[in-house]
Amino acid sequence: MLSNIRIVLVQTFHPGNIGASARAMKTMGLRDLVLVTPRQFPDPEASRLAAGAEDVVDNARVVGSLKEAVVDCVQVVGASARLRSLPLPHYDEPDEMARSLVANAVDDPVALVFGRERFGLTNDEIRCCSHQVSIPANPDYGVLNLAQAVQVLAHEVFTAWRRRPESDYRAARPNTDRAPTREQLDHFHDHLTHIMQRSGFITQPHARTEEQLQALFARAQPSRKELSLLRGLLSSLERGLEDG
Amino acid sequence: MLSNIRIVLVQTFHPGNIGASARAMKTMGLRDLVLVTPRQFPDPEASRLAAGAEDVVDNARVVGSLKEAVVDCVQVVGASARLRSLPLPHYDEPDEMARSLVANAVDDPVALVFGRERFGLTNDEIRCCSHQVSIPANPDYGVLNLAQAVQVLAHEVFTAWRRRPESDYRAARPNTDRAPTREQLDHFHDHLTHIMQRSGFITQPHARTEEQLQALFARAQPSRKELSLLRGLLSSLERGLEDG
């Protein structure tokens, strides 16, 4: 699915932007990069900015026209900061665009097209697109750097892909401790209540205060280990109170 | 609300990353930048990479510790590619984090903290945080460039802000033509049906074919101008058919 998603950069001026875009793509699981008449490529700046994504740069295809770059695609989304007068179907919301792109990418190639740093895409190039998308931004300063725009839209694509039921993405998680049983929590609550009374904090059973503190600890979701730590603290306090 | 959201960069190594982060922030409506012991700042590279966001760089505060940077904040989210063993509350989903951050930012300052390019945040620095967030990424290559991480999380924050009912963000839209009336559409459908019969495409009233084509045009949502163009085309075809 992700392998069907192509990133196309049209007439990129700064080779560094190609490298940084490749890096952005790779962090989001994308590898298919096509360059339409890049001004200066290959170039050491492209490799340098690619950091660990030089393979994406090295495997990039260079073609002579956007038409050639997307001829096999069933959906071609042009990323454009500037709205054109051509009333192409337009996504205001990148996440909506991404869900559609990922759905189409199940079976067929699709493309996300980025224009020149300064001038974006020409009207002829927009005619090669089925849709446009813009990244909502600060009305007073809304044009993202090219590689930044690639990163944001690649992130939205990866998010859309992850959230599909059939995706096998699993977040790396540290080992979480087991949760305590209701019985262990009840013991803790009783212990806490006992301490509150022994310390003179509450002079008689005060259901509301006890419930509030229990709710606080419930939100913290202590693990068994942590509950153990807390019980140890309460025991020390108890011994201190008995001595005092 | 957005003005209450602070971006904190801890011990940034490359001044260019400070500039690029400032640019990323400004595109997403954020302006409060605090630098904790940056290695090299001020620096021409920071201003150069800031593009039109030099004001954010120039107004950045420099402080000696993360503690100092966030002392007034009610929520401090540490952005971390690497999971630590400290079981701080953790957001797996940047959009979830952003909704919480924006909600807290209604009344009080909050902060999004980014660590060193290579080493992230120390355990002591994570202790200054109330939460952690990571950007889900390619398990084989998942570390975003610092300024890219700032761009992605700033984008999520801006999205969360835009989607709150009280936000006044309005997407810039080109002037859309008026939609046609049902009567105009009916005339068009009649005209189209007439052409289909005159051309021999359908030899008798064929409701299904006509409905399918009508549905297609309905999805295209032609404006009045476009409907006019289509009617003009149908008229030319009609004249051609009469002559032939």
Side-chain angles (χ1 to χ4, degrees):
Chain A
M1 202 184 301
L2 284 181
S3 59
N4 261 341
I5 301 176
R6 180 174 310 157
I7 301 293
V8 182
L9 305 184
V10 177
Q11 281 216 313
T12 308
F13 191 88
H14 296 291
N17 279 336
I18 294 176
S21 296
R23 178 178 182 177
M25 284 171 64
K26 191 172 177 178
T27 60
M28 296 293 144
L30 303 175
R31 295 178 159 274
D32 184 2
L33 176 61
V34 174
L35 308 172
V36 178
T37 60
R39 184 185 64 98
Q40 201 167 306
F41 185 81
D43 188 278
E45 270 301 278
S47 306
R48 188 176 76 82
L49 272 288
E54 290 97 333
D55 57 328
V56 174
V57 173
D58 294 341
N59 293 327
R61 254 196 311 147
V62 178
V63 298
S65 70
L66 178 56
K67 187 172 174 177
E68 199 181 330
V70 302
V71 63
D72 57 340
C73 295
V74 302
Q75 186 180 19
V76 181
V77 181
S80 179
R82 300 161 189 80
L83 295 172
R84 302 284 181 182
S85 52
L86 284 172
L88 216 58
H90 184 98
Y91 294 102
D92 281 333
E93 295 293 337
D95 56 357
E96 209 180 297
M97 176 280 293
R99 283 188 291 271
S100 166
L101 200 70
V102 165
N104 280 310
V106 172
D107 295 315
D108 298 288
V110 297
L112 202 37
V113 180
F114 297 83
R116 301 152 188 79
E117 288 94 327
R118 276 181 183 264
F119 308 115
L121 298 168
T122 64
N123 279 347
D124 275 350
E125 286 157 356
I126 291 176
R127 265 182 272 272
C128 293
C129 301
S130 58
H131 299 79
Q132 282 186 187
V133 69
S134 42
I135 298 173
N138 180 350
D140 297 329
Y141 183 77
V143 184
L144 278 66
N145 161 270
L146 171 61
Q148 297 281 42
V150 173
Q151 181 77 77
V152 168
L153 295 184
H155 158 76
E156 291 288 3
V157 164
F158 191 66
T159 300
W161 173 75
R162 280 188 304 111
R163 291 179 178 176
R164 286 177 70 87
E166 65 273 17
S167 103
D168 57 4
Y169 178 82
R170 291 289 169 267
R173 291 211 129 283
N175 285 331
T176 36
D177 236 345
R178 288 175 77 188
T181 62
R182 298 311 301 167
E183 189 181 21
Q184 288 167 329
L185 277 167
D186 286 344
H187 285 155
F188 168 71
H189 293 154
D190 291 342
H191 204 167
L192 180 63
T193 299
H194 181 69
I195 289 286
M196 290 198 280
Q197 287 169 343
R198 292 279 285 119
S199 67
F201 179 63
I202 55 181
T203 45
Q204 53 193 316
H206 201 289
R208 181 128 183 82
T209 305
E210 289 166 36
E211 277 167 14
Q212 280 188 315
L213 286 177
Q214 281 167 28
L216 172 71
F217 282 105
R219 284 203 316 277
Q221 289 184 290
S223 66
R224 284 185 199 201
K225 252 174 38 180
E226 289 167 335
L227 211 60
S228 218
L229 280 174
L230 287 168
R231 298 283 313 263
L233 171 63
L234 293 181
S235 298
S236 298
L237 288 167
E238 207 164 13
R239 282 192 297 275
L241 288 168
E242 274 155 24
D243 299 343
Chain B
M1 199 183 303
L2 285 181
S3 59
N4 260 342
I5 302 176
R6 180 173 310 157
I7 300 293
V8 182
L9 305 183
V10 178
Q11 281 216 313
T12 309
F13 192 87
H14 296 291
N17 279 335
I18 295 176
S21 297
R23 177 177 182 175
M25 283 171 63
K26 190 171 177 178
T27 59
M28 296 294 144
L30 305 176
R31 294 179 160 272
D32 183 2
L33 176 60
V34 174
L35 309 171
V36 179
T37 60
R39 184 184 65 98
Q40 202 166 304
F41 185 82
D43 188 277
E45 270 302 276
S47 306
R48 189 176 75 81
L49 272 286
E54 292 97 331
D55 57 329
V56 175
V57 173
D58 294 341
N59 293 327
R61 253 194 314 146
V62 177
V63 298
S65 70
L66 178 55
K67 188 169 173 180
E68 199 182 329
V70 301
V71 64
D72 57 340
C73 295
V74 301
Q75 185 180 18
V76 180
V77 181
S80 179
R82 301 160 190 82
L83 295 172
R84 302 286 180 179
S85 53
L86 284 172
L88 217 58
H90 184 96
Y91 294 103
D92 282 333
E93 296 293 338
D95 57 357
E96 209 181 299
M97 176 281 293
R99 283 189 290 271
S100 165
L101 199 70
V102 164
N104 281 310
V106 172
D107 295 315
D108 298 289
V110 298
L112 202 37
V113 180
F114 297 84
R116 303 153 187 77
E117 289 93 327
R118 278 182 182 261
F119 307 115
L121 299 168
T122 64
N123 279 347
D124 274 350
E125 286 157 354
I126 290 175
R127 267 184 269 270
C128 292
C129 300
S130 58
H131 298 80
Q132 281 185 190
V133 69
S134 43
I135 298 172
N138 181 352
D140 298 329
Y141 183 78
V143 184
L144 278 67
N145 161 271
L146 171 61
Q148 298 280 44
V150 173
Q151 181 77 77
V152 167
L153 295 184
H155 159 75
E156 291 288 2
V157 163
F158 191 66
T159 299
W161 172 76
R162 279 189 305 109
R163 290 179 177 176
R164 288 176 69 89
E166 65 274 17
S167 103
D168 57 2
Y169 177 83
R170 290 289 171 267
R173 292 210 128 284
N175 284 330
T176 37
D177 237 343
R178 290 174 75 188
T181 61
R182 300 309 302 166
E183 187 181 22
Q184 287 166 330
L185 277 166
D186 286 344
H187 283 154
F188 167 70
H189 292 154
D190 292 342
H191 204 168
L192 181 63
T193 300
H194 180 72
I195 288 287
M196 291 196 282
Q197 287 170 340
R198 292 281 283 119
S199 65
F201 180 63
I202 55 179
T203 45
Q204 54 194 313
H206 201 289
R208 181 131 183 78
T209 307
E210 289 166 34
E211 277 166 17
Q212 280 190 314
L213 286 176
Q214 281 166 28
L216 172 71
F217 282 104
R219 283 203 315 278
Q221 290 185 291
S223 66
R224 284 186 199 198
K225 253 179 30 184
E226 289 168 334
L227 211 61
S228 217
L229 280 174
L230 287 168
R231 298 281 314 264
L233 172 62
L234 292 180
S235 297
S236 298
L237 289 167
E238 206 164 14
R239 281 192 298 276
L241 289 167
E242 274 155 28
D243 298 344

